[in-house]
Amino acid sequence: MHTKNLSLAVLASFLLAATTATAQSDYPTKPVRLVHGFTPGGISDVLARTLGAKLTPGLNGQQVLVEPRPGAGTTIASDLIAKAPGDGYTLFLQDMTTHAINARLYRRLPYDPVRDFTPITLVAASPLMLVVHPSLPVKNLKDLLALAKKRPNDLVHGSSGNGTIVHLAAEMMKSMAAVKMVHAPYKGSPQVVAGLLGGEVALSFATLPPVLPNIEAGRLRGLAVTTPQRSDVAPNIPTMKEAGLKDFELVLYTGILGPRGMPRPIVDRLNSEFAKVVKLADVQNIYKKVGAVAHTSTPDEFAAHIKLEMAKLGKLVDLSGARID
């Protein structure tokens, strides 16, 4: 009797393994959800819809349905993904910079930022730009830092909220240059840009799309970008390193995550399909419009990247003193 039960258990395990293998080889057999944690129309939404539309042919013709789940600094979307089945039908286009910051910024998260996710690939990288109101008597970063040293706690820098990458970039600059400025947090990026244009704040770090038209019109002045290389859409703007802070580097990364426990064959399949899509010429053109560049990785490289970013940005959160209960 014992032998019979053992044989049945072995047979059941074999059938389950065979069924699982078949499901993985046929993947996908239904539409795939691609969730992101921002409002419709923003950079993440544009990237998700661009990549999703181009993925369909390589995913057996299955549609990729983009689903914005904004709120609470992407933690609402992150929690949704963390609790989803790891079957490859729910994916997450995430601002990995925010993901890393949240790991230290929030005292309590309803998920583990490493354990509860499956890294698939990085898909994009983009800079922040340091911009100032044109009334400020500075032409470059060195002028700005000299003015800040001359007038400590006089200049006000705006951000899209405590603990955001825009806030942390300014704290990093202040620490490296040993200058003192006043932080003015706003509710979001549009409000920061409005504050800059109205002269409520003297300077801010910002993503490129909302500030480039204002720089071209003379309403704002761009001083430097935070990436190691200059941006193709603003080639005349130096990097922070070129402008005088040689160790300053901040890159905004976007990546694709899944829930924990995704089968490796499905992860590898998705990694390959995303790598093909980001190289397409029309995708590259859309990237350029939002100031991003293609940036891919293997799943293992991406996993290592997440841990490094969490350590680096966690230190900046500590430096800023920001915390969310």
Side-chain angles (χ1 to χ4, degrees):
M1 187 73 174
H2 177 74
T3 303
K4 182 179 179 181
N5 289 341
L6 182 61
S7 298
L8 288 173
V10 171
L11 178 61
S13 297
F14 175 79
L15 291 174
L16 177 61
T19 301
T20 301
T22 300
Q24 291 175 15
S25 63
D26 291 344
Y27 170 87
T29 58
K30 61 182 180 180
V32 175
R33 283 199 303 169
L34 182 56
V35 178
H36 67 78
F38 297 91
T39 54
I43 294 176
S44 290
D45 192 55
V46 170
L47 293 178
R49 294 184 189 281
T50 299
L51 297 175
K54 296 297 182 180
L55 279 172
T56 292
L59 295 182
N60 303 336
Q62 294 295 335
Q63 188 176 5
V64 178
L65 306 174
V66 175
E67 185 178 325
R69 286 295 186 98
T74 77
T75 61
I76 291 174
S78 297
D79 190 39
L80 183 154
I81 299 298
K83 292 177 170 58
D87 55 9
Y89 289 97
T90 304
L91 305 177
F92 190 22
L93 183 138
Q94 170 65 316
D95 175 350
M96 297 310 303
T97 308
T98 298
H99 193 77
I101 289 170
N102 287 347
R104 188 71 62 88
L105 180 65
Y106 286 80
R107 295 186 189 278
R108 296 178 185 85
L109 286 171
Y111 56 84
D112 185 290
V114 175
R115 186 190 63 230
D116 289 338
F117 299 89
T118 298
I120 297 172
T121 184
L122 288 164
V123 291
S126 56
L128 291 172
M129 183 183 287
L130 174 60
V131 294
V132 299
H133 191 273
S135 65
L136 206 63
V138 301
K139 298 296 183 182
N140 51 51
L141 177 62
K142 288 183 179 179
D143 288 348
L144 175 65
L145 298 180
L147 183 64
K149 287 182 179 180
K150 184 178 179 181
R151 294 160 46 183
N153 286 323
D154 186 23
L155 301 181
V156 180
H157 66 92
S159 84
S160 49
N162 285 313
T164 61
I165 190 61
V166 171
H167 175 204
L168 300 186
E171 295 297 338
M172 184 176 177
M173 178 183 70
K174 291 191 294 183
S175 175
M176 292 175 66
V179 298
K180 295 181 179 180
M181 302 179 186
V182 176
H183 175 219
Y186 286 78
K187 291 183 178 180
S189 296
Q191 289 83 1
V192 180
V193 175
L196 270 169
L197 293 171
E200 295 173 3
V201 294
L203 65 142
S204 181
F205 286 86
T207 55
L208 302 190
V211 296
L212 284 179
N214 290 300
I215 291 172
E216 292 169 1
R219 292 187 290 266
L220 294 175
R221 182 177 298 133
L223 299 188
V225 293
T226 61
T227 39
Q229 294 82 33
R230 297 189 182 198
S231 171
D232 289 342
V233 295
N236 294 326
I237 305 294
T239 66
M240 292 288 286
K241 291 181 179 181
E242 291 173 328
L245 284 182
K246 64 177 183 178
D247 295 322
F248 193 107
E249 179 183 318
L250 275 180
V251 183
L252 308 187
Y253 291 101
T254 300
I256 305 296
L257 299 169
R260 67 187 296 186
M262 284 181 62
R264 188 61 189 233
I266 291 179
V267 172
D268 290 340
R269 168 81 179 278
L270 288 166
N271 179 279
S272 176
E273 295 301 330
F274 274 104
K276 292 175 187 175
V277 164
V278 299
K279 294 175 183 176
L280 297 174
D282 48 351
V283 171
Q284 296 274 333
N285 287 336
I286 292 173
Y287 269 46
K288 188 172 182 179
K289 290 179 181 177
V290 298
V293 295
H295 191 101
T296 57
S297 65
T298 67
D300 293 335
E301 288 169 343
F302 188 17
H305 168 88
I306 292 170
K307 292 179 180 178
L308 287 172
E309 285 292 285
M310 285 175 61
K312 175 183 178 179
L313 295 173
K315 291 178 181 178
L316 288 182
V317 172
D318 292 343
L319 177 66
S320 75
R323 283 292 187 276
I324 296 177
D325 292 325

